Amino acid sequence: MDVIDRLRPALRSFEPYDPAFSPCRVNLSANENTHELPEEVRAAIDAALLDTPLNRYPDPMANALRDALAERHGVSREMVCVGNGGDEVLFNLLFAFGGPGRTVVTCPPDFAEYANFATMCECELCPVWRDPEDFSIDADELVEAARDAALVILTSPNNPTGDLLDRALVERLLDETDALVLVDEAYVEFAPEGASVIDLVAKRPRLMVLRTLSKAFGLAGLRVGYLVAHPSVVDALGAIRQIYSVDVVAQAVALAAIRERAAMAGVVADIVSERERLLAGLAEIPGVRAWPSAANFVLVRVPGAAEVRRRLRDEHSILVRDFSAAPGLGDCLRLSVGTREENDALLDALSVILREEA
């Protein structure tokens, strides 16, 4: 049986997701939070797990978690939709509001799943490429591309470049176009205060903000993300989502983590401090160009990036993400910010490799 011929045409070129993980001493490839959870957060999660029955179906809409998230952001429950990771919410948005004949605007280099999911949903993709030097977005070009678009997807801080979105650009898109605008804020907890646009959602019904517990909350293995949006958008997603997509364990752990979020502030502050120390260390290594970042990762350009990545893995047991084959990111590596010890190991290894490669 020729399975490929039976697939929908839009799906025939896709392959299973492979993050290119390898067993290693230091894994800085996936933008995970490598810090330990604070004891009080761990204790709250353990208690929640012990109190969670596994023989009953979960609340389909995760309403207790929605209430906690709504309280966190000063909105109503009706403006929050929880999903199996931010990826599920993103896919459902494209499934609901995209499709054949509808255009989705993105600003690459950005999160590759935007284009992948748009293609799966048979959307027309309109990329507005960032400046190759500083990764800024041409506001006029973006607004023009968005005039006939169904959805515009922006990221702040952007993955993998680390830069923040201009708040004025978001408002201009909403003022001058009729598109839905999604701002993916997966990494915004690591950015300076005031970087989020989530406060605009209540008065801007076409604005949606995506968040996750995978990064700042250190719960990447849990798969919990959520959208803050107009109630009509949340209702639409509630109607087309996979039922019970957020299981009882995920709901219980996420709720405990949100309630104990104040205890995570120290972890986030340490990651931000380590990010700046990592950037300072990179600036001292000849041959490295590092861009400023407001996230928990740093994008760097090094000569022969693919070989540098291989040597980091094979000779130093340090794993980073190679973006050198991606359009607009020649010779670029993305380095997640780890603990102090992990970052020191990375800086030492890079110094050795680049000195030998010079």
Side-chain angles (χ1 to χ4, degrees), residues 233-271:
V233 172
V234 174
D235 288 345
L237 295 183
I240 58 96
R241 63 182 294 167
Q242 295 289 314
I243 60 172
Y244 304 132
S245 67
V246 184
D247 64 57
V248 292
V249 171
Q251 290 188 36
V253 173
L255 181 57
I258 290 296
R259 287 174 173 168
E260 296 291 333
R261 61 187 178 274
M264 295 301 299
V267 172
V268 172
D270 187 63
I271 292 171

Side-chain angles (χ1 to χ4, degrees), residues 2 24 47 53 124 128 145 185 200 209 243 245 249 279 308-309 317:
D2 193 337
C24 58
E124 298 292 331
V128 175
E185 294 186 344
L200 296 177
V209 174
I243 60 172
S245 67
V249 171
L279 281 166
V308 171
R309 187 259 186 191
S317 196

Side-chain angles (χ1 to χ4, degrees), residues 84-252:
N84 188 275
D87 290 344
E88 186 202 20
V89 179
L90 175 62
F91 182 87
N92 286 348
L93 274 172
L94 288 160
F95 183 65
F97 299 107
R102 295 188 176 184
T103 299
V104 175
V105 177
T106 60
C107 293
D110 57 9
F111 186 40
E113 291 300 270
Y114 302 152
N116 288 340
F117 289 166
T119 301
M120 288 180 186
C121 294
E122 301 184 71
C123 307
E124 298 292 331
L125 196 61
C126 178
V128 175
W129 286 89
R130 294 167 180 264
D131 183 275
E133 182 65 21
D134 63 6
F135 301 116
S136 60
I137 299 170
D138 186 313
D140 292 338
E141 184 181 357
L142 178 59
V143 170
E144 190 60 32
R147 293 196 190 282
D148 297 319
L151 176 64
V152 178
I153 303 177
L154 301 167
T155 325
S156 187
N158 186 49
N159 177 20
T161 59
D163 54 307
L164 283 169
L165 184 64
D166 183 357
R167 182 186 184 94
L169 177 55
V170 176
E171 299 209 72
R172 184 178 169 191
L173 280 167
L174 295 167
D175 287 337
E176 298 183 26
T177 80
D178 194 43
L180 294 171
V181 177
L182 172 67
V183 179
D184 183 347
E185 294 186 344
Y187 302 95
V188 80
E189 284 92 351
F190 304 106
E193 188 174 353
S196 175
V197 296
I198 211 164
D199 59 295
L200 296 177
V201 175
K203 56 186 178 182
R204 295 286 199 166
R206 286 185 288 110
L207 176 63
M208 306 167 289
V209 174
L210 186 63
R211 290 288 191 92
T212 182
L213 273 65
S214 294
K215 311 302 180 184
F217 283 87
L219 298 174
L222 197 66
R223 312 310 304 132
V224 175
Y226 62 97
L227 187 76
V228 178
H230 190 271
S232 60
V233 172
V234 174
D235 288 345
L237 295 183
I240 58 96
R241 63 182 294 167
Q242 295 289 314
I243 60 172
Y244 304 132
S245 67
V246 184
D247 64 57
V248 292
V249 171
Q251 290 188 36

Side-chain angles (χ1 to χ4, degrees), residues 334-354:
R334 191 191 65 195
L335 317 174
S336 302
V337 178
T339 63
R340 187 178 188 89
E341 295 74 20
E342 290 170 332
N343 297 330
D344 284 344
L346 173 62
L347 288 168
D348 290 344
L350 273 175
S351 295
V352 170
I353 292 171
L354 291 176

Side-chain angles (χ1 to χ4, degrees), residues 22-83:
S22 301
C24 58
R25 175 173 59 99
V26 177
N27 185 349
L28 301 176
S29 70
N31 295 346
E32 296 156 325
N33 183 336
T34 67
H35 290 54
E36 293 290 332
L37 288 173
E39 289 185 9
E40 55 266 52
V41 179
R42 181 77 255 183
I45 288 173
D46 290 346
L49 288 171
L50 288 173
D51 198 38
T52 299
L54 302 180
N55 63 320
R56 302 292 185 181
Y57 285 114
D59 177 348
M61 290 298 290
N63 283 315
L65 180 55
R66 290 173 77 197
D67 286 340
L69 292 167
E71 184 272 331
R72 179 190 182 197
H73 296 298
V75 299
S76 65
R77 173 202 285 184
E78 290 73 23
M79 294 178 65
V80 178
C81 178
V82 180

